[in-house]
Amino acid sequence: MGRATIEDVASRAGVSIKTVSRVVNHEPNVRPGTRERVEQAIRDLRYRPNTSARSLAGKRSFLIGLLYVKPAASYIINILTGAVDACRAGGFELLLHPCRYTDTDLPRQISELAGNTRLDGLILTPPLSDMEALVAELDRSGVAVARIAPGAHGDPARSVRTNDEEICAELTRYVASLGHRDIGFIVGHPDQLAVQQRYTGFLRGLEQAGLSMRKSFVCHGDNSFESGVECGRRLLQRKRRPTAILASTDDMAAGVIRTAHELGIRIPAELSVTGFDDVPLAHKVWPALTTIRQPMQAMGEQATALLLERLRNGRNDREGGEPALIPSELVIRDSTGPVPE
Amino acid sequence: MGRATIEDVASRAGVSIKTVSRVVNHEPNVRPGTRERVEQAIRDLRYRPNTSARSLAGKRSFLIGLLYVKPAASYIINILTGAVDACRAGGFELLLHPCRYTDTDLPRQISELAGNTRLDGLILTPPLSDMEALVAELDRSGVAVARIAPGAHGDPARSVRTNDEEICAELTRYVASLGHRDIGFIVGHPDQLAVQQRYTGFLRGLEQAGLSMRKSFVCHGDNSFESGVECGRRLLQRKRRPTAILASTDDMAAGVIRTAHELGIRIPAELSVTGFDDVPLAHKVWPALTTIRQPMQAMGEQATALLLERLRNGRNDREGGEPALIPSELVIRDSTGPVPE
DNA sequence: CGCCAGGATGACAACGCTGTCAGCATCTCG
DNA sequence: CGAGATGCTGACAGCGTTGTCATCCTGGCG
């Protein structure tokens, strides 16, 4: 049944194809009456511009890519959902670009990938979003970029961030307010800036609560469940153990819970545990995790919106301001309680 | 620095653009020597065919879509990973198409979506893959389709399935072999065929173990954690309760575990629980779930491979055979144990 | 030695759209 | 009322490929 082309629309509306093109692209200088006629013809014919032709003739591809590391963290699905929504709304399509974080020539590899498919833009998720070398390479190759990144530093106009540090300080104060004085902390993957900020927030919270940090209560993991189990063991098998453990990640918190169960330590009666992210897992473990809800979907959506806006306007409006901040919130569930007598 | 075009390659190799095109597309009738020269030129110039031009001139878009329902089940990420890999390998790109399962005109909506972006093919995930009306509409609109579906019935040439039924029977026999005679079962979402098959498998396993089904030990959920909690309550608060509960889904199994914890029922000492899928959650709950590992990533990969093959050959080789079967396997962890004395 | 089948190659016209530029109508202002 | 500015519109040339078809070789065969 052959799909309608711009030519069909043009002849039906009694105008040239160029005028149809103008209407379709919302360009100025079309008389309202003409516009009306064209739009009617478009509706009648159910006309949809051919994307390939558009990309070939114009410069854009209407494709934007989402870059993430493999294996995907569980929150990726949320970012992804937000990003897809924003894309749809803007008439774009979202492509997936998983990649291996450990590849040394990642920048080259990615910018080549982007070039192959002629991506209009790329959304960077952590920890990729923190790799300045990558961003630089991408800039060089002319792909627009949006970063879902903690980066409070530079590049504010195209980043979206959340208040990791402040909220973690708040969490710490909350735990302190329950009477805990011996608070352990599990730092996450060293390459993720967000993690550093959470740790910083913890230190700040401690200070605000008038407590001091005990080095032996700080343990370094890699964001995984397994590393949570491991750190849990190290922290809980000391002669003097913390009465609360804050993990930089829900997965690690779940690991601590596992260890506690194995050691017969009751939560929250004998030990309080908190996570970070509020992934689906968080409320499915027992006891349900007190954690920080990271608005991942909103971040994906915002970052994408930022990118699309940038693509439309050439440059971005918010140049030089603060990065868009999407606040996280404290979610109190069952894994925290008053310090044991 | 403007990217190399087919013309650049042609003049460098001293041939016409058509010959380059032939080489690029692996068409026959090019002398080995010529092919060689062209390939060298391609390497020298780092030539990459322009996808838009190809789609415009040819018929294909090199885009395939992955259709899934929103909100995404946690295993979607695995299917997705497999699908992306297969796409990359075949020179295709993967687009995401979340949609709402409840929309009544889904078929029309989707086939329109597919048309807009000129998708070459579409991968259907459950429960979409079980909607015959959708498949029919897609066939009508000429989009190639691959189904990740339990559908043992019809359409074998373009479906990938797993042995839900047999493996569930095996699981049941395993539990029975631990001495359990009062085995409860939580059926999943009624619209998902796979779920039916799991239930059927359960019944079969029961029979094979010489046990009979007790109606009051069967409960209907909707695949969610919450429904697992609810069903767990119903099953465990009876005067006579099952000593083992098989849930059709890991999430529901986690729900049962939650309920058991709340009721102070020890697992596996007093109650055995099993799940299905082996999502990441499965080994992070406590105790770690005995479950069925569904090879989701492999299924995504296979389904995509099937689709790409079909796109290349026109029709598919395996026409009329059995759907590709990717076996699941039983993973025994800590949530199952011998029946209490 | 001439003829023909079929393999190897190239010229050229699409594919459906956007960018450029020219042309005409209309408006503004002195 | 005329000159220049501005708004609206269309003709046409690409964009980088693939498909079609013509052409040129080559080797096999009578």
Side-chain angles (χ1 to χ4, degrees):
Chain A
M1 58 178 229
R3 180 157 150 170
T5 78
I6 199 175
E7 206 122 12
D8 301 331
V9 176
S11 72
R12 181 173 236 267
V15 297
S16 75
I17 61 169
K18 181 61 211 187
T19 298
V20 177
S21 169
R22 287 196 181 92
V23 172
V24 169
N25 294 290
H26 303 102
E27 288 173 24
N29 298 345
V30 177
R31 227 175 332 191
T34 315
R35 191 177 294 272
E36 186 66 24
R37 268 186 1 257
V38 172
E39 278 165 349
Q40 186 57 53
I42 289 178
R43 276 191 298 272
D44 293 348
L45 268 39
R46 297 168 162 284
Y47 167 72
R48 292 282 158 203
N50 177 313
T51 320
S52 308
R54 282 180 108 170
S55 330
L56 184 55
K59 302 292 188 179
R60 52 271 180 77
S61 66
F62 300 96
L63 256 30
I64 86 140
L66 181 83
L67 213 58
Y68 65 94
V69 299
K70 243 166 68 161
S74 45
Y75 59 74
I76 284 292
I77 188 75
N78 293 328
I79 292 186
L80 195 153
T81 302
V84 170
D85 287 350
C87 278
R88 280 264 176 295
F92 279 68
E93 292 289 333
L94 188 71
L95 287 184
L96 260 29
H97 275 279
C99 60
R100 285 191 305 273
Y101 180 56
T102 50
D103 284 6
T104 49
D105 66 337
L106 247 196
R108 248 255 324 292
Q109 190 180 317
I110 287 170
S111 89
E112 193 163 314
L113 258 171
N116 282 356
T117 36
R118 289 265 153 97
L119 292 180
D120 283 349
L122 216 40
I123 300 174
L124 304 185
T125 60
L128 268 8
S129 45
D130 291 332
M131 296 177 61
E132 296 302 334
L134 173 59
V135 176
E137 171 66 30
L138 252 19
D139 282 347
R140 207 168 310 128
S141 73
V143 195
V145 157
R147 308 164 73 171
I148 296 181
H153 63 79
D155 213 10
R158 40 184 196 171
S159 314
V160 165
R161 70 176 200 93
T162 186
N163 54 341
D164 277 278
E165 186 174 328
E166 300 99 72
I167 200 74
C168 198
E170 181 180 333
L171 170 66
T172 308
R173 277 179 273 128
Y174 164 70
V175 170
S177 79
L178 292 173
H180 296 274
R181 316 202 76 237
D182 298 329
I183 306 180
F185 192 88
I186 304 184
V187 186
H189 198 291
D191 290 347
Q192 294 201 222
L193 225 74
V195 154
Q196 295 306 331
Q197 299 194 336
R198 291 172 192 181
Y199 183 49
T200 314
F202 166 67
L203 295 178
R204 193 140 64 90
L206 229 42
E207 192 183 343
Q208 290 165 340
L211 300 177
S212 61
M213 185 266 257
R214 187 187 311 267
K215 206 136 195 180
S216 59
F217 282 179
V218 173
C219 195
H220 292 260
D222 66 359
N223 295 3
S224 71
F225 175 78
E226 285 71 22
S227 74
V229 170
E230 180 53 31
C231 289
R233 255 178 219 139
R234 283 216 286 279
L235 292 173
L236 295 175
Q237 289 180 331
R238 309 177 57 78
K239 59 252 150 234
R240 179 178 178 181
R241 66 179 197 222
T243 61
I245 297 181
L246 317 193
S248 302
T249 273
D250 283 342
D251 273 4
M252 295 196 294
V256 174
I257 290 185
R258 152 72 55 86
T259 297
H261 279 141
E262 284 174 359
L263 298 177
I265 300 174
R266 286 167 304 137
I267 302 173
E270 302 173 85
L271 175 73
S272 287
V273 176
T274 70
F276 213 111
D277 287 340
D278 198 25
V279 296
L281 169 71
H283 77 277
K284 295 175 187 168
V285 293
W286 190 81
L289 266 176
T290 288
T291 187
I292 302 294
R293 175 173 301 149
Q294 293 261 51
M296 285 301 174
Q297 183 166 340
M299 290 181 81
E301 204 166 328
Q302 278 277 334
T304 310
L306 221 60
L307 186 58
L308 297 196
E309 191 187 336
R310 190 184 203 75
L311 288 175
R312 271 191 277 272
N313 304 357
R315 292 294 83 185
N316 197 295
D317 301 326
R318 303 172 31 273
E319 205 75 59
E322 273 294 299
L325 190 146
I326 313 201
S328 297
E329 57 176 323
L330 178 56
V331 180
I332 299 177
R333 288 199 272 245
D334 313 324
S335 66
T336 45
V339 66
E341 99 297 353
Chain B
M1 56 180 222
R3 175 161 155 170
T5 76
I6 199 174
E7 208 122 11
D8 301 330
V9 176
S11 72
R12 182 173 235 268
V15 297
S16 76
I17 60 169
K18 182 60 210 188
T19 297
V20 176
S21 170
R22 285 196 184 92
V23 171
V24 169
N25 293 289
H26 303 102
E27 286 173 26
N29 299 346
V30 178
R31 231 174 332 193
T34 315
R35 190 179 296 271
E36 187 65 24
R37 281 200 334 273
V38 172
E39 278 166 351
Q40 186 57 51
I42 289 179
R43 275 190 299 270
D44 294 348
L45 268 38
R46 299 171 163 280
Y47 166 72
R48 292 282 159 203
N50 178 313
T51 319
S52 307
R54 285 181 107 172
S55 331
L56 184 54
K59 301 294 188 177
R60 54 270 178 79
S61 66
F62 299 95
L63 257 30
I64 86 140
L66 181 83
L67 213 58
Y68 65 93
V69 299
K70 241 166 72 164
S74 45
Y75 59 73
I76 283 293
I77 188 77
N78 293 328
I79 292 187
L80 195 153
T81 302
V84 170
D85 287 350
C87 278
R88 282 264 177 293
F92 278 67
E93 291 288 336
L94 189 71
L95 287 183
L96 260 29
H97 274 280
C99 61
R100 285 192 304 276
Y101 180 57
T102 48
D103 283 7
T104 48
D105 67 337
L106 246 196
R108 248 254 325 293
Q109 193 180 315
I110 287 171
S111 87
E112 194 162 315
L113 258 171
N116 283 356
T117 37
R118 288 266 154 99
L119 293 180
D120 283 349
L122 215 41
I123 298 174
L124 305 185
T125 61
L128 267 9
S129 45
D130 291 332
M131 295 177 61
E132 296 302 334
L134 173 57
V135 175
E137 172 67 31
L138 251 19
D139 282 345
R140 208 169 309 129
S141 74
V143 195
V145 157
R147 309 165 73 171
I148 296 181
H153 62 79
D155 215 8
R158 41 184 199 174
S159 313
V160 165
R161 71 177 198 93
T162 186
N163 54 340
D164 277 277
E165 187 175 329
E166 300 99 72
I167 200 73
C168 199
E170 181 180 333
L171 170 67
T172 308
R173 277 181 273 130
Y174 164 70
V175 171
S177 78
L178 294 172
H180 295 275
R181 315 203 75 239
D182 298 329
I183 306 179
F185 192 89
I186 303 182
V187 185
H189 199 291
D191 289 347
Q192 294 201 224
L193 225 71
V195 154
Q196 296 306 328
Q197 300 193 337
R198 290 171 193 182
Y199 183 49
T200 313
F202 165 66
L203 295 179
R204 193 140 66 90
L206 229 42
E207 193 182 341
Q208 290 166 340
L211 299 176
S212 61
M213 184 266 257
R214 190 187 310 269
K215 204 128 194 187
S216 58
F217 282 177
V218 173
C219 194
H220 292 260
D222 65 0
N223 295 3
S224 71
F225 175 78
E226 285 71 22
S227 73
V229 171
E230 181 54 30
C231 288
R233 253 176 222 140
R234 282 216 286 278
L235 292 173
L236 295 174
Q237 289 182 332
R238 311 177 56 76
K239 57 253 149 232
R240 177 178 178 181
R241 68 182 195 218
T243 60
I245 296 180
L246 317 193
S248 303
T249 273
D250 283 342
D251 272 5
M252 295 196 295
V256 173
I257 290 185
R258 152 72 54 85
T259 297
H261 280 139
E262 284 175 358
L263 298 178
I265 301 175
R266 288 167 302 138
I267 300 173
E270 300 174 87
L271 175 73
S272 288
V273 177
T274 71
F276 212 110
D277 287 342
D278 198 23
V279 296
L281 168 72
H283 77 274
K284 296 175 186 167
V285 292
W286 190 81
L289 264 178
T290 289
T291 187
I292 302 294
R293 176 173 300 147
Q294 294 262 51
M296 285 301 176
Q297 184 166 339
M299 291 181 80
E301 206 167 325
Q302 277 279 333
T304 310
L306 221 60
L307 187 59
L308 297 197
E309 190 187 336
R310 190 186 202 73
L311 288 175
R312 271 191 276 272
N313 305 354
R315 291 296 85 185
N316 197 293
D317 302 325
R318 305 174 29 276
E319 204 76 60
E322 272 295 298
L325 189 147
I326 312 199
S328 297
E329 58 177 323
L330 177 57
V331 179
I332 298 177
R333 287 199 274 245
D334 313 324
S335 67
T336 44
V339 66
E341 100 297 352

